[in-house]
Every structure is written in structure tokens, then in C-alpha cells.
Amino acid sequence: MAQASELSLEDAVAQSPRKWVYLFSEGNAGMKDLLGGKGAGVAEMTNAGMPVPPGFTITTEACNEYYTAGKRFPDGMWQQALAALRQVEAQTGKTFGDAKNPLLVSVRSGAKFSMPGMMDTVLNLGLNDETVKGIIALSGDERFAYDAYRRFVQMFSKIVLDTKADEFEKIIERYKEETHAQTDADIPSDALKHMVEDFKQTARDASGRDFPEDPVEQLRLAIEAVFASWNNKRAIDYRNINKIPHDLGTAVNVQTMVFGNMGNDSATGVAFTRNPSTGERKLYGDYLVNAQGEDVVAGIRNTSPIDHMQEEAPAVYQQFHEIANRLEEHYRDVQDMEFTIEKGRLYMLQTRTAKRTAAAAVKIAVDMANEGVISRDEAVQRVEPQQVVQRLLPRFDEQDVQAARAANRLLARGVNASPGAAVGKAIFDADRAEAAGKAGERVILTRVETSPDDVHGMYASQGILTSRGGTGSHAAVVARGAGLPAVVGCEAIRVDYEQRQFRVSGTDTVVREGDELSIDGATGEVFQGALKTVEADFEHDTDLQTLLAWADERRDLGVWANADYPRDADRSVAFGAEGIGLCRTEHMFMEQERLPVVQEMILAETPEKRQAALDQLLPFQRSDFEGIFRAMRDPKTGAGYPVVIRLIDPPLHEFLPSYEELLVEVTRLEDKGDNPDELAKKRELLGRVAQMREANPMLGLRGCRLGLLFPEINVMQTRAILEAAVNVAKEGMRPQPKIMIPLVGHVNELREVRRQLEAVAEEIASEAGGQVEYKFGTMIELPRAALTAGQIAEVADFFSFGTNDLTQTTFGMSRDDAEGKFLLQYVEGLPEPGLKEPVKILKVNPFQTLDRDGVGRLVRIAVEEGKRTKPNLEVGICGEHGGDPDSIAFCDEVGLNYVSCSPFRVPVARLAAAQAALARKASQKQAERDK
């Protein structure tokens, strides 16, 4: 081996500050942090006696140290790598760089968390003009040798020498045309030999340097390239999207090459122990005969389903099937496996926990629990809350689908790679797709095949359509992980990037950029135009219902919903809500038939006129609350659920026309001069609106302040709530109204408002001839309220944290202004001249995920002080954070009684609350063991 270390691995490690390199035989599945998912997986398979080509892994710590040292290998790492390579030589009987019996290796990335296609890989490393002769002599197949050589030069040049991939594709297409080859596999050996030289010249022209012939130099450069790929743009974008920390680093796996491109008894493929799209318990995947791994992932050729291997290579299929079963049984989860067949012999290259769709995730978790593979606790923890969101996404209306087929709008069928219904404009470039997505347009990214460089456009799209590729292709893997509908391998479409269009084979149909498409990732169908979508059938989704029932048994937090109308309440109960945590009464005022009466009430010049308007509103409000109380009952027992109703909160001018619009209208009437009566009315209204204008309405006359100055409004609403409760109670129900007084900053505000409203409650109880059940509480949405919660708890029966306003007042920012002007830049990063990475002020948007250090600290203080004053104080949260899994975990940690969120987020909150409780209890048990 040229320039090889003569040290053993043990000696090389002894002379280094740390062990940077592990042979596959030295690792195990529990070493993901150090060896990455891929390295830990091959180590585990090696130690289980499976057919794994020998190799070694350079640790994630080495990657991080590489960056710390200014992009230099850490001390001793290179010597350890060369020493490990000597041991691989001994295991294989081959020598790296030897002209007669050369060892060739692959160099692959492998982070702790799977990042499919985001980082770099080099195959066939070690080839040069001399070692290729040894491969020819050993294999007796010149074509195979030069096919491997051209692949190596192509891949190495693209990744290490920064040569554009398109340049190589143009050369390949030219040779196919000259040799009349249908596919890459048909190009003869003489042409491949010349292609290698053309590739090298292309790399030389692009990089300004000769292609390296020394295999050791090739290895050094490839390892550096893999380290560097940890911080390429697509990898950073992927980590940002999937919330993967940026400081984990990637491992590097150096593994003996085995070849799937040695003829028709060789193949390569990707398979899953269960279907990652549907969850069906059946071996699933595809493979390519006479190909290498990147052909499958890149989608360069269309693949064969794994089932076909039963017919083409039954013995190999049986061995693979047995290994797949062993791996799933060993890891107790669905495995994503890469394999190669070389001259009829099976080799396992990788196993990792499989990415899966939302539908598959739920089914697999429930099935594995029912099969006894995992516990129900594990099943609940296996499904990500975001996957529940995806499970509830819409599908195409069946009648519209049938009509589209009848109208010949079904353009083509491809591989159903990731389920879901997507409608959008066909866009043929990832950059344009991203721009259109950011502009609010619906996009279907349409490509021949996708590559890691397309990821930003994929995530901005509603769905993905490719003309090449299979279920293991880049497009399919990324789409499943992102929950995007995808149809791949759609051979009937002929994509033309230059013309920005595709043609449908055998027809005159042309779809141009901007034309609407509908793709069905469950069936693989592609339709022209937009199809109607329908909501998911949550009620009859037995797997999801089963999982959520298990979650309900394990959570401590109640899950309530924010609902303003009876229809919202019905939907909330259907999704599993156990109460309403926020009913905003002001939304009821905005309906068309009521708004004129509300405006009349606001503009009333005397208390009598105001009361007359309120008397008209009372029956509307009472009817609304009756509908909500009737809807909020346990579907099994009929018992009433609690309903928290917030008294009017926004400033009154929000119910009037805007000052600017009125000013324009008055000016217009003045200019025309033909309608003096209307002008007089508009001038009067303009004057009243001007009087009510505030410099900062969010902190102005609203909430309890409004109720203190205009108590008759609160009195009317309280009467409507309690009269509705009395009426519904007469029907045999037992409603649980909870009246919430908003924007309290001082205990005296709450004390006075409650005094006024208790008098109303006593009056209604007297009229009803008995006790009316109710509670009075407050919304904690101001920092002072949180800091004086012990005092406020003396007067309140319950707290509900309004974390949207609490976040605004704690950060001192208006959400609408901040998100539109600077907040997203705080999260995504501020460009800073001279720095490679943008400066990030905040890790997450605090209006989406609760700020634990600031807002969360106020919540914790309020809970602790409130319960110290009143131990049975009920405490919940009703801001948008009530549906965010990370925020729900915090609520569980600080001891809240419930979270409340939008109806659609209720299933997510049920699962997240169970996962939070399980994690907390596991942490408590571990702490007890550590004592």
C-alpha cells in the first residue's frame, strides 16, 4: 500500500490524544453518537455475523475537531485511518493501491440522524490507470472495470473537485448516441475507456488540477470532502427543517467495495422490512441488475420491485428475506437496508431505522405493539406528533377523480412513493419552486429526478413528480421524511427543462410551467388541472384511534380545544377534546346580523341606549352558549365538559370601520357633495372612531379595563352564559361554565370585576330557583400578573395562560409587526459580512414554541405562587403553544392541568401530552436510580 502506516491500529491509537477510528468489529448499535447511524448499523451487523464487507468508521468527534482545528485532521486521526486500512487489507487479502490485487473502498458520510442524500459519498475509490488493470485481470471483465472507473472519476470529480454533474451527463449522452446504446449499461468497454479520459479532462478544466492518481491521496481528499459536506447548504437546510443540531458532526465510513455492476448475476438495491408508505407487513423495495448503489438512489434507471428477485435469484432472495427478518427482530423497528449482490453473493451495506410516512408510522407502531414486538408505551413514543398532522391531511374527492378520468385528465401513472393529495403549478426548477412557494403559490416540483441540490425547492412544494426513480430514490426518501406527496418513476412524462414543459408519451398533451397538476401519492396518478380534496376520515381511522386511546391512558395533561362556535365545539369533541379552554365571545359579535347592533351599542350616547343594544345582543349570545354547552359533552357518558368563556377582550374600535377607510369615504362624499345626509352620518362616525383611536391598542382600553369602564357589557355576557347553562341543565345535562376575565394586571381589577358579576350570578340563581354552577378565573397574559400570581389566586378559581400576549408583552414586540419585519430573520439568521454562517438571534419563533427561559419562567413562577396560595387552583394554557409538542412538554413539566389548542391540533396534543408524561416519568426513575 503506497505510503501506508506500518503501525497497528492499537499502536496508532496509543500515540494519539483520542481514538478517532473504529473497525466495524469494534462498534455496536448503541454508538450512534460516536459512529453515526450508518457506522453503528454496519458494526452491529458485522458482530451479528451478517455478510458485511469489512471497513472502519472515523468518528463524529473527529469531524467536529476537524472544524475546531481550522479544517485540519485532528492529531493522530490520519495515522489511525491508515492503520485501520491495513487491517481491512488483511481481512480481504487485497492491498490498497496494488496493481495486481487492488482493494477498492467506498467513503460514505453517516450522521447520528439520517440525512438521506444531504452529504457526500465516493464509490470505487482506489482506482487509477494501473489498478484498473488489476481489476480487469481479477474479474476477467474489461467493461465492468472501466464502468467502475468512469463512475469513480465522475463521483470524485463532482464531490472533491467541484465539477458540475451536468458536464458528465452530457458526455454520457454523447457516448450513448455514438454507440447506439439505450442505457448506460449498454455502452461498450472501449467507449468507457475513452470516457474516463474525457471525464478527467473535464475535471481538470473545472478544477485547474490533475485528477489524483495516488489512492492514498484520493482517500485523504475524499475524507476531507465528507467532513466538509456536513456544512454544505443542503445539509444545513435539512437540519434546520428537521430541527437536527448543527454540532453533531458526521462520521466517515470507509468500506470494502463490492460490485453490483459485474453482470446480470449482480445487482444493488434498497429495501424495507415493511412498506414505508402504508405500513404493510411485507418486504418492500426495489433493485437494479448490473448497477451500483447511486443508480438506485439517483433514479437514473427505473428499478424492479424486490418481489421480482424471487424469480430472478430465489436463493439470494431467501437469504435476504431471512436477514431482513433478523434485523427487524433485533432492532425492534422497521429497517431501511442497502444491499449489493456480487456474482450471486449477497452483501449487506447498511441498515438503519426507516423513514416512513405518517400513515405507515401509525400502522407500524400499532401493529408492532399488537404483535408483541414493542410495548404500548413504545408505540406511543414511536409516532411523531407531526405525523399525526400529516395523517389528517386531505385526500382527493373520489367523484372528482372519476370525473377527471372520464374527461381524459389522467395524464400518467408512476410509482406511489409517498401518499397524500397535492395540487399546484408545475415548476421545473428548485429555485423557482422555492420562490413561488415563498410567494404563497402552490407548487408541484417536476423533475426528471431530484438530487440533494433540489431539497430547498422540494420543501417549498406541495408535492413532487419525477419521470425516473423508484421507492428508494432521493425524491421518494425525502418526500416520505417531509410528509410530502410524491409520484416518481413516471415514465410517460418527458421533461424538457429548457422549454419548461413536459410531454405525455403517446399523446399531444403538453404541460407547461405554471399549468396546474394534481398528484396522488397513494395511487401514483397524475391529473391535469386541480382536483377537489376532502378531509381525512378521522372517526374511522382505526389505527390512529387505537394509538390515541393508548396515549390518553398515559397522559396527565387534559387536552381541551379553542372553539368559538358550536360547529367548532362539535369538531373538537370528535377529535377527542375534553373541554373548551378558550371561547372568544368577541368573535360572535362579528357576524353579519349582529355587527350593526354591536356598533349601535358602541356608539350609544347614553347608558340607556347602550343597554337597549345589549338587550338585543343577549339572546344571540345565550343561543351561542347553549349550542356550545350542548356540544361539549362526553360522547360515552353524556357528562358535560368544562367550557372556559373569555369575556370581551379587544378594544371596541375593532368592531367599527377603520379610521383610514372612513376618512377616505368622508373625503369622497365631500368632493361629490350630492348626499349631505350620508356625509353627516359618516362625519359623526369618523369623529367617534377618532375619539376611540389609541397609539397602542394592544396595551390600551381592552380586557378587564373595558369591563370596569363599561360594566354593562360584562354583565350582559355573564347573564347570557349562565342563563344558557340553566337552560341546558333543564335538558338533563350538567354544563360546566368557567368565566374568564382577561388582561388582569392587578388583583384589584379582578376583585372588582368579580364583585360585579357575582351579583349577576346570584340574581340568575334566584330566577332559576336554585344554584348555578360556575367559576370565575383570569387569563395570565401580562408579566405583572405572572409575578403577582399569589395575590391574584386569592380571587381567581382558575388561571389560563394566554401565552400569545404573554410572549408579546415579555419580549416587548408586536407579533404582527415582528413576524413581518424582523422576527423570521432572527430565527433564520442575519447575514453578517465576513462570517460564513448567518447570525441567529433566536433558535425558534417564540410565538410558535414557548420561550422557556423568559416566558416559561414567568409561567413557572405563576403556577408555583398561585398553587401556594390555592393548592387546588386549576391551571391551563390557551395560546397557540397549547398545540406545540415542545411547549406541551413544558406544560407537563411545570404541572399544568390542561392545554388548549385549535380543534385540528387536538389529536397532536393528545399524543404529545402522553409522550411528555412518559419522558418525565422515565427521567424521574433514572434520577432515583442515580441517587
Side-chain angles (χ1 to χ4, degrees):
M1 182 178 72
Q3 305 176 19
S5 168
E6 296 300 325
L7 292 173
S8 69
L9 179 56
E10 292 78 8
D11 290 340
V13 170
Q15 295 179 18
S16 304
R18 190 180 302 174
K19 184 172 174 63
W20 304 111
V21 175
Y22 288 75
L23 295 169
F24 288 168
S25 58
E26 295 180 298
N28 59 63
M31 298 175 69
K32 280 187 178 182
D33 286 352
L34 190 64
L35 303 181
K38 190 173 295 183
V42 292
E44 191 76 3
M45 287 195 295
T46 297
N47 292 323
M50 294 183 186
V52 178
F56 59 88
T57 301
I58 302 172
T59 66
T60 57
E61 290 178 345
C63 176
N64 286 330
E65 187 64 27
Y66 169 81
Y67 281 103
T68 301
K71 296 188 177 181
R72 291 176 53 252
F73 287 160
D75 290 346
M77 189 212 86
W78 181 236
Q79 287 72 25
Q80 290 182 34
L82 292 177
L85 190 59
R86 286 180 60 84
Q87 293 198 220
V88 173
E89 290 177 329
Q91 289 175 284
T92 61
K94 300 173 185 285
T95 303
F96 193 60
D98 184 70
K100 294 182 178 179
N101 189 21
L103 171 68
L104 304 184
V105 298
S106 62
V107 181
R108 300 171 182 260
S109 60
K112 176 181 179 180
F113 298 107
S114 176
M115 295 171 56
M118 297 304 108
M119 293 180 288
D120 290 333
T121 293
V122 179
L123 303 181
N124 308 330
L125 189 141
L127 278 170
N128 58 26
D129 290 344
E130 295 303 315
T131 57
V132 72
K133 296 174 185 175
I135 297 296
I136 293 170
L138 290 168
S139 66
D141 189 340
E142 184 181 57
R143 193 203 174 280
F144 151 71
Y146 277 105
D147 183 50
Y149 197 5
R150 70 91 183 168
R151 288 170 183 271
F152 166 59
V153 175
Q154 180 179 357
M155 191 174 283
F156 187 95
S157 299
K158 184 176 72 170
I159 290 166
V160 180
L161 304 181
D162 202 26
T163 310
K164 291 183 178 179
D166 290 352
E167 298 300 319
F168 298 113
E169 292 301 326
K170 289 176 184 176
I171 294 171
I172 291 171
E173 290 302 316
R174 172 165 58 83
Y175 274 96
K176 282 164 67 176
E177 189 173 326
E178 289 174 358
T179 60
H180 307 290
Q182 292 294 314
T183 69
D184 299 4
D186 299 324
I187 300 174
S189 59
D190 284 348
L192 289 171
K193 187 174 182 179
H194 292 298
M195 189 186 293
V196 168
E197 295 308 313
D198 288 350
F199 278 6
K200 286 183 179 180
Q201 185 61 50
T202 298
R204 190 179 300 115
D205 293 342
S207 65
R209 57 188 289 191
D210 289 336
F211 190 90
E213 294 288 330
D214 178 5
V216 174
E217 177 68 3
Q218 293 172 0
L219 180 62
R220 184 185 66 78
L221 291 171
I223 293 170
E224 279 198 276
V226 173
F227 278 163
S229 71
W230 172 252
N231 276 334
N232 65 35
K233 182 181 183 303
R234 62 180 183 261
I236 292 170
D237 288 346
Y238 185 89
R239 292 198 295 272
N240 286 336
I241 291 166
N242 291 280
K243 297 182 179 179
I244 296 173
H246 293 288
D247 58 359
L248 298 178
T250 182
V252 180
N253 298 286
V254 179
Q255 187 172 24
T256 303
M257 279 297 305
V258 288
F259 299 96
N261 59 329
M262 292 190 75
N264 290 333
D265 58 353
S266 302
T268 189
V270 175
F272 303 82
T273 54
R274 303 190 189 211
N275 188 314
S277 291
T278 67
E280 181 185 6
R281 189 180 182 184
K282 180 183 178 183
L283 196 60
Y284 176 88
D286 39 27
Y287 69 105
L288 274 173
V289 172
N290 197 20
Q292 285 199 308
E294 76 269 21
D295 296 339
V296 177
V297 174
I300 292 169
R301 286 162 54 195
N302 289 334
T303 55
S304 299
I306 199 77
D307 286 351
H308 288 190
M309 194 190 293
Q310 281 184 287
E311 301 170 7
E312 295 183 351
V316 174
Y317 178 84
Q318 183 61 34
Q319 183 190 7
F320 181 68
H321 197 284
E322 290 171 0
I323 288 173
N325 288 339
R326 283 178 61 194
L327 287 171
E328 182 175 285
E329 183 179 344
H330 180 78
Y331 284 101
R332 301 169 61 249
D333 202 353
V334 181
Q335 294 300 293
D336 170 358
M337 305 162 292
E338 292 182 19
F339 64 92
T340 287
I341 303 166
E342 180 182 287
K343 293 290 185 181
R345 183 176 178 183
L346 175 67
Y347 292 93
M348 300 300 297
L349 305 183
Q350 173 176 293
T351 189
R352 60 187 175 189
T353 300
K355 297 274 186 184
R356 63 205 74 176
T357 65
V362 174
K363 178 173 175 55
I364 289 166
V366 171
D367 285 353
M368 283 192 157
N370 288 334
E371 293 161 14
V373 177
I374 60 176
S375 68
R376 290 184 177 183
D377 283 1
E378 290 174 296
V380 167
Q381 292 169 304
R382 285 273 176 95
V383 178
E384 297 174 12
Q386 184 60 31
Q387 290 174 320
V388 175
V389 175
Q390 295 167 10
R391 182 96 175 192
L392 299 175
L393 292 176
R395 54 186 170 76
F396 287 134
D397 177 79
E398 188 57 35
Q399 288 187 338
D400 208 29
V401 170
Q402 296 299 335
R405 288 175 181 150
N408 293 321
R409 288 168 54 199
L410 176 59
L411 298 178
R413 285 188 178 88
V415 177
N416 51 333
S418 183
V423 178
K425 294 179 178 179
I427 302 290
F428 295 88
D429 173 81
D431 291 337
R432 294 195 299 275
E434 182 182 44
K438 287 182 176 178
E441 295 185 48
R442 298 186 303 177
V443 172
I444 302 294
L445 180 63
T446 306
R447 304 283 290 166
V448 174
E449 72 247 4
T450 63
S451 74
D453 293 327
D454 295 321
V455 166
H456 59 295
M458 297 173 76
Y459 276 99
S461 303
Q462 270 60 52
I464 314 297
L465 172 63
T466 69
S467 61
R468 295 181 187 166
T471 57
S473 67
H474 176 268
V477 171
V478 172
R480 283 196 295 270
L484 292 170
V487 176
V488 303
C490 194
E491 297 180 341
I493 67 171
R494 296 286 182 262
V495 176
D496 185 331
Y497 292 142
E498 291 186 6
Q499 297 295 319
R500 298 188 183 182
Q501 65 182 33
F502 72 71
R503 294 182 177 275
V504 181
S505 297
T507 74
D508 295 328
T509 303
V510 178
V511 173
R512 296 179 173 83
E513 185 153 300
D515 291 349
E516 281 199 314
L517 292 175
S518 299
I519 66 170
D520 190 331
T523 65
E525 292 177 314
V526 180
F527 294 92
Q528 194 168 27
L531 298 186
K532 296 176 187 175
T533 56
V534 294
E535 296 300 317
D537 188 0
F538 175 77
E539 184 180 353
H540 296 101
D541 189 336
T542 54
D543 286 329
L544 184 55
Q545 294 286 6
T546 298
L547 184 77
L548 292 177
W550 294 345
D552 292 340
E553 294 168 358
R554 286 156 177 78
R555 60 182 166 87
D556 296 323
L557 280 169
V559 177
W560 299 6
N562 301 338
D564 303 329
Y565 302 99
R567 61 180 178 271
D568 298 332
D570 285 331
R571 187 179 298 114
S572 301
V573 172
F575 280 131
E578 303 155 321
I580 289 179
L582 177 62
C583 175
R584 291 157 285 211
T585 54
E586 64 269 9
H587 285 189
M588 302 169 179
F589 287 171
M590 299 301 292
E591 294 195 6
Q592 190 172 5
E593 60 182 333
R594 307 174 191 191
L595 189 56
V597 184
V598 174
Q599 292 175 344
E600 184 182 330
M601 180 267 293
I602 295 169
L603 298 172
E605 297 175 352
T606 65
E608 292 78 14
K609 289 184 178 180
R610 182 175 296 112
Q611 188 60 53
L614 288 169
D615 289 343
Q616 293 183 64
L617 288 172
L618 175 61
F620 286 122
Q621 289 259 276
R622 185 171 55 227
S623 175
D624 290 331
F625 298 136
E626 287 173 354
I628 289 173
F629 290 145
R630 290 189 185 104
M632 292 310 297
R633 65 169 75 189
D634 188 319
K636 294 178 181 177
T637 67
Y641 283 140
V643 178
V644 178
I645 300 170
R646 184 180 70 186
L647 300 178
I648 189 167
D649 183 41
L652 291 179
H653 70 76
E654 288 196 9
F655 300 99
L656 300 175
S658 77
Y659 178 82
E660 290 76 12
E661 290 174 1
L662 280 172
L663 187 61
V664 170
E665 182 67 10
V666 167
T667 303
R668 186 185 66 80
L669 289 169
E670 287 175 342
D671 288 344
K672 292 183 72 175
D674 59 355
N675 195 337
D677 292 341
E678 181 70 11
L679 176 59
K681 289 180 183 178
K682 293 291 185 182
R683 276 178 174 164
E684 181 183 4
L685 184 57
L686 178 64
R688 295 301 302 277
V689 171
Q691 290 174 3
M692 301 175 77
R693 291 182 82 197
E694 296 176 294
N696 190 345
M698 191 188 85
L699 300 178
L701 183 57
R702 53 169 285 216
C704 68
R705 303 162 190 169
L706 188 64
L708 286 166
L709 293 186
F710 302 99
E712 56 269 29
I713 299 176
N714 279 352
V715 167
M716 182 277 290
Q717 291 195 302
T718 301
R719 176 171 287 277
I721 293 166
L722 297 182
E723 286 181 354
V726 169
N727 293 342
V728 172
K730 290 176 181 177
E731 299 169 7
M733 277 191 63
R734 190 178 174 184
Q736 300 183 51
K738 299 173 184 287
I739 300 170
M740 184 159 66
I741 298 159
L743 209 75
V744 167
H746 195 286
V747 65
N748 288 342
E749 293 174 314
L750 180 61
R751 182 175 285 116
E752 176 56 20
V753 174
R754 178 161 187 167
R755 184 195 64 77
Q756 295 170 357
L757 301 183
E758 287 281 13
V760 179
E762 291 173 8
E763 182 182 334
I764 293 169
S766 176
E767 293 170 0
Q771 182 72 28
V772 178
E773 289 190 32
Y774 63 88
K775 288 183 179 180
F776 282 109
T778 188
M779 182 179 275
I780 304 293
E781 50 193 322
L782 296 174
R784 191 182 190 282
L787 294 171
T788 60
Q791 299 172 24
I792 293 173
E794 295 173 1
V795 185
D797 299 323
F798 65 88
F799 286 170
S800 180
F801 289 97
T803 49
N804 296 340
D805 275 2
L806 188 58
T807 299
Q808 291 192 97
T809 53
T810 301
F811 274 91
M813 61 174 68
S814 158
R815 178 175 186 174
D816 291 341
D817 292 325
E819 288 187 331
K821 291 183 170 62
F822 65 87
L823 185 56
L824 298 184
Q825 291 180 337
Y826 269 32
V827 175
E828 295 174 357
L830 299 163
E832 184 69 29
L835 294 180
K836 181 180 178 182
E837 297 297 326
V839 177
K840 295 186 178 183
I841 306 298
L842 298 172
K843 289 184 177 180
V844 294
N845 182 337
F847 293 105
Q848 294 176 353
T849 297
L850 191 74
D851 163 45
R852 295 190 179 209
D853 295 337
V855 179
R857 188 176 180 192
L858 289 173
V859 171
R860 193 185 294 273
I861 290 169
V863 172
E864 291 173 354
E865 295 200 0
K867 291 201 172 188
R868 189 177 301 127
T869 298
K870 187 174 288 184
N872 63 345
L873 182 74
E874 187 178 70
V875 187
I877 184 174
C878 63
E880 287 185 30
H881 299 103
D884 171 65
D886 185 79
S887 306
I888 289 169
F890 175 79
C891 294
D892 178 84
E893 177 187 319
V894 299
L896 266 59
N897 298 98
Y898 68 86
V899 296
S900 187
C901 55
S902 68
F904 188 75
R905 300 287 296 183
V906 165
V908 177
R910 291 166 64 189
L911 180 64
Q915 292 176 342
L918 289 167
R920 171 173 47 80
K921 291 168 186 175
S923 178
Q924 290 169 348
K925 288 181 180 178
Q926 184 61 49
E928 290 172 6
R929 286 194 293 267
D930 292 342
K931 284 182 181 179

